[in-house]
Amino acid sequence: MKIGVIGCGYVGLSTGVLWAVLGHDVVFLDEDERQIATLRQGEVPFYERGLQEVLARYRARTTYACGWSEWDADVDVAIIAVGTPAQPDGSPNLSYLQAAVQAVGDHWQAGRGTVVLLKSTLPPGTNALVHRWLQERLQFRGLSDQVTVVSNPEFLREGDALTDVFYPQRIIVGVQSRAGESLLRDLYRPLLTGPDTAPAVLQRPPGYTRPELFVTTPINAELIKYAANAFLAMKISFMNEFANLAERMGADILDIATGIGMDSRIGPQFLQAGVGWGGSCFGKDAAAILHTAEEQGVQLSLVQATVEANDRQRQIVLEKLHRHVPALQGAVIGVLGLSFKPGTEDVRDAPSQTIVRALRAAGAQVQAYDPMAMRTFAEANPDLAVAYTAQAADCFAGADAVLLLTEWPVFAELPWADLRAHMRGDLLLDGRNAWQGLSLSQHGYVYEGMGRGKIG
Ligand code: NAD
């Protein structure tokens, strides 16, 4: 088949390459000329583990279109993976989607039977809206083709995107028609039943079992995506609130997480307390579904509380720091980690953005290191004066405190004794509970985790 992918961001490229690996011809389209120029040179404009190698390996089956004048109208499936950023009122900006859908309609080849597949995260009801937009466009051109719009939300995690695409846990398909369902079944069949097709750079997750393709209505598929993200964010906010209580009472949230995670109804994942969640999806999607619920006159009080607890958690980190370093004006604060999680350079809604901004506003000097995200952080915060360091150890030089905001593996083992001697103060604030507090206190640090009482 010939598959068109519209939007060459994390989702478009990571999911689009699957179709090339499975033997289809894929045309990737983006309106960002720089993005396409970079891709044509064989490079991926952002870091996602393994993506550049796999795209290079399958380049014979992939082409890149810079805008709609280069679009191949002959595609069987048009996959839409454009961004849906939040607007000030919380609702997602659907103008990129609308532009893409209308362009598909304008380039529709009569009788071709193109299927439009929605990968972007879209509020409930958008599938029907897209259907209408397309029909209007076709009618305007005097075409009477059947329009098939399938909702196929994406659940990949940045940093593990390819693993999640080639080894998905489930595939959600929201369709109105049998035709849409059978096309999606055919497309995904290799992942459902065939031999392992994943490129060699990927490792099959331990205990992996074939996914189920769950067919439902479009509005259910759309809501599944929001409910999944809200639930995951809620788990973390829940643990963060318990961490705050545990800390006040001299308990350790790590043991509490272990203890509750042993219950299979709860499970051990997503129970890590810390500085709070971030990234391009959780906050945006929570705001979007809260906006939808309000429009519908329905309360999503747990989602609201999840967001509020997350906002507070970022302040709690600052309050902790303040207790140890009362005068932030002129203080030197080392920050380890800027990306919203390890394995990505993405800083969208990362806790580091709020925390570093607050530190600067309080007059602190910030020296920061991240193995990947210093460029993206600087680009996203051009007004913030931050001294970016060449390596993690440099963040300790003359610092009154060092904050860990992203648990990159390189921060796990540092020459602790040497670094202590280079600091002015002694506080290590472990915002991800990634360090061994007891052994650090033996090196002369004051260690503070999140929800761990006072260690040492
Ligand atoms: P992104 O910002 O990385 O990429 C979006 C791309 O779409 C950009 O390259 C942009 O230039 C392009 N674009 C915008 N309008 C266009 C148009 N009219 N025509 C052609 N190209 C256009 O976004 P992303 O992180 O890949 O997310 C895309 C969607 O997938 C969002 O709805 C997001 O919520 C959802 N999603 C993201 C993730 C994730 O981890 N990033 C996971 C699951 C779902």
Side-chain angles (χ1 to χ4, degrees):
M1 276 200 213
K2 195 176 274 185
I3 295 182
V5 177
I6 301 150
C8 294
Y10 286 92
V11 169
L13 288 176
S14 308
T15 61
V17 76
L18 167 73
W19 308 116
V21 173
L22 295 182
H24 303 290
D25 289 325
V26 181
V27 49
F28 289 99
L29 177 142
D30 205 289
E31 285 189 326
D32 185 330
E33 288 175 21
R34 273 199 324 184
Q35 194 111 327
I36 292 296
T38 308
L39 285 162
R40 281 180 173 152
Q41 282 163 15
E43 284 168 31
V44 173
F46 49 85
Y47 178 76
E48 182 57 52
R49 188 168 53 86
L51 185 55
Q52 191 156 304
E53 294 93 300
V54 180
L55 274 170
R57 177 124 190 260
Y58 291 89
R59 73 174 157 260
R61 287 192 209 130
T62 52
T63 48
Y64 297 99
C66 186
W68 291 94
S69 58
E70 298 180 6
W71 174 242
D72 187 339
D74 203 22
V75 298
D76 300 289
V77 184
I79 301 179
I80 302 193
V82 299
T84 47
Q87 303 186 105
D89 69 354
S91 67
N93 180 349
L94 298 183
S95 65
Y96 304 101
L97 172 79
Q98 186 167 14
V101 169
Q102 290 178 338
V104 170
D106 290 343
H107 291 80
W108 195 279
Q109 285 201 347
R112 189 78 186 80
T114 306
V115 169
V116 174
L117 196 149
L118 304 175
K119 270 262 159 234
S120 300
T121 301
L122 302 168
T126 310
N127 182 298
L129 198 61
V130 168
H131 200 269
R132 214 185 60 221
W133 287 338
L134 265 176
Q135 264 180 334
E136 281 169 5
R137 226 54 188 186
L138 297 198
Q139 274 162 16
F140 179 73
R141 293 181 52 209
L143 302 178
S144 56
D145 287 33
Q146 281 278 323
V147 168
T148 306
V149 182
V150 181
S151 295
N152 180 213
E154 182 51 50
F155 300 94
L156 65 77
R157 298 160 301 166
E158 282 176 26
D160 292 296
L162 288 188
T163 304
D164 292 343
V165 165
F166 284 89
Y167 298 108
Q169 293 185 15
R170 82 292 212 187
I171 297 164
I172 304 291
V173 171
V175 276
Q176 294 287 19
S177 68
R178 285 254 156 246
E181 178 182 341
S182 66
L183 181 113
L184 267 282
R185 275 200 191 283
D186 286 348
L187 269 178
Y188 279 114
R189 184 154 294 122
L191 294 188
L192 303 173
T193 56
D196 192 340
T197 46
V201 289
L202 300 179
Q203 275 184 359
R204 191 183 173 88
Y208 179 76
T209 51
R210 294 273 182 200
E212 190 171 324
L213 185 125
F214 178 57
V215 180
T216 182
T217 62
I219 203 151
N220 287 343
E222 290 163 335
L223 264 170
I224 285 169
K225 174 65 190 174
Y226 285 99
N229 271 3
F231 195 85
L232 291 171
M234 185 177 69
K235 274 184 106 173
I236 300 176
S237 280
F238 179 91
M239 290 312 287
N240 283 339
E241 291 205 314
F242 261 86
N244 299 335
L245 179 64
E247 184 166 307
R248 187 64 62 85
M249 304 192 72
D252 188 344
I253 194 67
L254 291 191
D255 279 6
I256 295 164
T258 304
I260 67 170
M262 289 169 172
D263 183 332
S264 62
R265 293 170 302 174
I266 296 174
Q269 291 188 3
F270 260 67
L271 300 180
Q272 285 77 28
V275 297
W277 42 264
S280 69
C281 292
F282 282 4
K284 162 180 87 69
D285 294 349
I289 204 62
L290 283 169
H291 185 268
T292 300
E294 198 184 332
E295 275 182 345
Q296 298 296 319
V298 172
Q299 265 209 341
L300 288 183
S301 55
L302 290 179
V303 181
Q304 184 66 46
T306 295
V307 174
E308 285 166 8
N310 199 53
D311 291 344
R312 268 197 308 277
Q313 200 63 11
R314 296 179 183 190
Q315 296 311 316
I316 283 169
V317 181
L318 289 161
E319 285 161 20
K320 248 178 202 285
L321 176 67
H322 213 246
R323 279 203 296 279
H324 291 272
V325 186
L328 278 175
Q329 177 73 41
V332 176
I333 308 296
V335 170
L336 294 177
L338 296 168
S339 58
F340 83 93
K341 66 172 186 176
T344 181
E345 63 182 13
D346 198 342
V347 298
R348 290 181 280 184
D349 195 26
S352 63
Q353 299 223 39
T354 320
I355 292 167
V356 171
R357 189 161 288 280
L359 290 173
R360 290 293 301 135
Q365 289 178 44
V366 175
Q367 45 199 34
Y369 175 78
D370 188 290
M372 262 177 210
M374 293 193 287
R375 180 186 57 82
T376 45
F377 189 90
E379 279 172 12
N381 300 281
D383 59 319
L384 274 190
V386 172
Y388 298 99
T389 66
Q391 48 188 337
D394 299 339
C395 285
F396 289 71
D400 295 287
V402 172
L403 267 62
L404 178 78
L405 297 184
T406 319
E407 68 280 31
W408 285 96
V410 289
F411 301 149
E413 287 302 328
L414 294 169
W416 298 113
D418 292 354
L419 294 178
R420 173 71 190 86
H422 290 115
M423 284 179 74
R424 184 164 69 181
D426 54 14
L427 177 69
L428 287 185
L429 206 171
D430 178 359
R432 297 293 182 177
N433 289 340
W435 288 332
Q436 299 293 330
L438 200 55
S439 71
L440 290 174
S441 58
Q442 283 158 5
H443 287 299
Y445 294 100
V446 170
Y447 173 85
E448 279 270 4
M450 301 297 291
R452 311 211 54 201
K454 200 161 178 210
I455 299 175

